[in-house]
Amino acid sequence: MDSLEKQLICPICLETFTKPVVILPCQHNLCRKCANDIFQSSNPYLPTRGGTAASGGRFRCPSCRHEVVLDRHGVYGLQRNLLVENIIDMYKQEYISSRPSPEQKVDQPICEVHEDEKINIYCLTCGVPTCSMCKVFGAHKDCEVAPLNSIYQTQKTELSDRIAMMVGNNDRIQGIISQLEETCRSIEENGRRQKSKVCEKFDHLYAILEDRKREMNVKVNAEQEEKLNYIRRLTRKYGDHLESMTKIMETGIQTLEEPEMAVFLQNTKPLLQKIAEASNTSHLERVERGYENMDHYSVSFKREGRALRNIDFAREDDEEEEDEEEVAVDADGRAGQTASGEVDSLNEALPPLLPPQPLSTCRPATSS
């Protein structure tokens, strides 16, 4: 419990985090009031509203010195860490419950089969709490049983360990979500940069190359959108999984508060099964390293430039004899045919656009 308490100390006020708790991009946590205080001290000339910065600015994380850039909402634009807030509530409740208090009598559940008998033992064979009469005469007479208090302590410890494991998994998934969001920003930036390069190359060509420029931009946009849509879907999957685990964890915290051992044991087995299923993240895909890279859309027009510089008047084909009617064509008509022939020869000189790297090779493999 002491090690948990150290993790819940704000590095600014050196007290247990005070809600609301905000999480910085570097994954460190601060009380929102402390974050606002350090932000105002780092930006003394920014206008404030009601003691809180009302416009964007920046400050450094007190734990790792990472620079935090705020939008126009200031510290209120930072995401709340509801997980840490729930852990604080659980810790405070555990601390209060651990203090000695007057004993209170709680009605013990009654056996459904023997209405006058209270549930006072636990069947190890069937995994359910039961009464002494069921052990002597009833359905559990051939089963192995144990006192409720020993099984209560064992399963309570197991549930606490599973919840602690889920806390670690939630932190890891939160980090993955942050990485996915950063990947989205990288894909957008790389896409914009590549489109800019493509436009710069095409600015040096004539109008005949405009169609090619549009085709290449369409391909860059298509892959960019496909990658962004995939990352966003993956982000939503991780978010949904995180939300599901948070709900199960809240249910586990409520179960830990159950004072009656029999009721606790009745609810623990299905809850442990849900926790085991929720802790399995093997069905969630992982993004392959370099997935956000868009460099395979680099372009070079050296060969096309040479083709453009070699454009010349149309030459007569020695193997083809022109008819007398073709010789009689007026000069204007022949000039139009020559211009058309130059366009056709240019199109033949330009190589076809090579297809970009197939998306199937960029798609991340699912984790085993």
Side-chain angles (χ1 to χ4, degrees):
M1 191 67 72
D2 292 338
S3 61
L4 177 61
E5 182 178 8
K6 292 178 181 178
Q7 299 298 323
L8 300 179
I9 298 299
C10 174
I12 300 300
C13 61
L14 300 181
E15 298 288 342
T16 303
F17 286 117
T18 302
K19 296 192 295 185
V21 180
V22 295
I23 182 169
L24 305 181
C26 57
Q27 302 302 308
H28 289 114
N29 299 289
L30 293 175
C31 309
R32 188 157 67 189
K33 178 181 180 301
C34 296
N36 186 56
D37 292 340
I38 191 173
F39 171 71
Q40 290 187 6
S41 65
S42 301
N43 302 269
Y45 300 107
L46 286 178
T48 59
R49 180 179 59 196
T52 302
S55 61
R58 59 187 65 202
F59 66 95
R60 292 191 177 276
C61 171
S63 298
C64 66
R65 307 304 298 166
H66 176 79
E67 187 177 60
V68 180
V69 179
L70 301 180
D71 58 15
R72 60 186 180 87
H73 300 291
V75 296
Y76 286 88
L78 293 172
Q79 181 181 358
R80 289 182 62 179
N81 195 332
L82 300 179
L83 177 61
V84 172
E85 293 182 8
N86 291 335
I87 294 175
I88 292 173
D89 292 339
M90 180 178 68
Y91 170 78
K92 290 181 178 179
Q93 292 170 1
E94 285 288 325
Y95 177 76
I96 294 174
S97 62
S98 63
R99 293 184 301 179
S101 58
E103 294 185 358
Q104 300 178 352
K105 287 190 175 181
V106 181
D107 293 336
Q108 194 169 356
I110 302 298
C111 178
E112 295 179 356
V113 179
H114 307 93
E115 297 181 355
D116 296 333
E117 292 292 327
K118 295 181 178 181
I119 294 178
N120 55 5
I121 58 175
Y122 187 85
C123 178
L124 297 175
T125 305
C126 302
V128 293
T130 183
C131 72
S132 300
M133 295 298 293
C134 288
K135 170 59 180 171
V136 178
F137 304 107
H140 302 282
K141 61 181 180 179
D142 297 325
C143 299
E144 183 181 357
V145 298
L148 280 180
N149 57 353
S150 62
I151 306 301
Y152 168 81
Q153 292 297 335
T154 300
Q155 294 199 7
K156 186 172 184 179
T157 301
E158 182 180 358
L159 180 59
S160 299
D161 294 341
R162 294 292 181 88
I163 291 176
M165 181 179 64
M166 289 189 68
V167 169
N169 289 340
N170 288 352
D171 290 340
R172 181 171 56 85
I173 291 179
Q174 184 67 49
I176 292 175
I177 291 176
S178 299
Q179 293 176 0
L180 292 174
E181 293 172 348
E182 181 63 26
T183 301
C184 283
R185 290 190 290 269
S186 297
I187 291 175
E188 291 173 347
E189 178 61 27
N190 290 340
R192 285 193 295 266
R193 182 169 61 251
Q194 291 304 119
K195 287 187 288 185
S196 176
K197 290 181 179 179
V198 170
C199 291
E200 289 176 2
K201 296 291 184 179
F202 275 100
D203 285 343
H204 296 287
L205 300 177
Y206 294 100
I208 190 173
L209 298 176
E210 286 296 325
D211 290 339
R212 289 293 184 93
K213 181 178 68 173
R214 284 192 293 269
E215 289 178 13
M216 294 179 73
N217 277 331
V218 165
K219 290 185 178 181
V220 175
N221 281 330
E223 181 164 336
Q224 177 186 343
E225 288 302 317
E226 181 173 346
K227 285 186 174 183
L228 286 174
N229 290 336
Y230 175 75
I231 294 298
R232 286 165 181 161
R233 288 197 302 270
L234 193 57
T235 302
R236 287 194 295 270
K237 286 183 181 180
Y238 275 99
D240 294 342
H241 189 75
L242 178 63
E243 181 180 357
S244 174
M245 289 199 298
T246 301
K247 290 180 180 180
I248 295 176
M249 188 185 69
E250 291 175 353
T251 304
I253 293 174
Q254 294 175 359
T255 304
L256 286 174
E257 298 173 359
E258 175 59 51
E260 174 51 46
M261 292 183 292
V263 176
F264 175 84
L265 293 173
Q266 286 176 332
N267 299 332
T268 299
K269 185 176 181 180
L271 182 57
L272 289 174
Q273 184 177 0
K274 290 181 178 180
I275 291 177
E277 294 174 355
S279 300
N280 182 14
T281 60
S282 60
H283 64 284
L284 297 176
E285 299 177 358
R286 304 290 190 272
V287 176
E288 192 178 53
R289 182 184 297 273
Y291 179 68
E292 70 277 8
N293 199 322
M294 304 280 285
D295 292 342
H296 51 276
Y297 284 107
S298 298
V299 294
S300 175
F301 292 110
K302 292 182 179 180
R303 184 169 57 180
E304 289 79 359
R306 289 194 297 269
L308 290 173
R309 286 191 293 270
N310 291 330
I311 292 178
D312 202 348
F313 294 103
R315 297 180 179 179
E316 295 181 357
D317 190 352
D318 296 335
E319 297 179 356
E320 181 179 356
E321 297 181 358
E322 295 182 351
D323 297 332
E324 293 181 359
E325 294 180 357
E326 293 179 350
V327 176
V329 175
D330 58 34
D332 292 338
R334 293 172 64 185
Q337 292 175 359
T338 302
S340 176
E342 290 181 356
V343 171
D344 293 339
S345 63
L346 175 58
N347 286 333
E348 292 176 358
L350 291 176
L353 285 176
L354 294 178
Q357 182 180 0
L359 295 183
S360 60
T361 62
C362 299
R363 183 63 60 84
T366 56
S367 63
S368 57

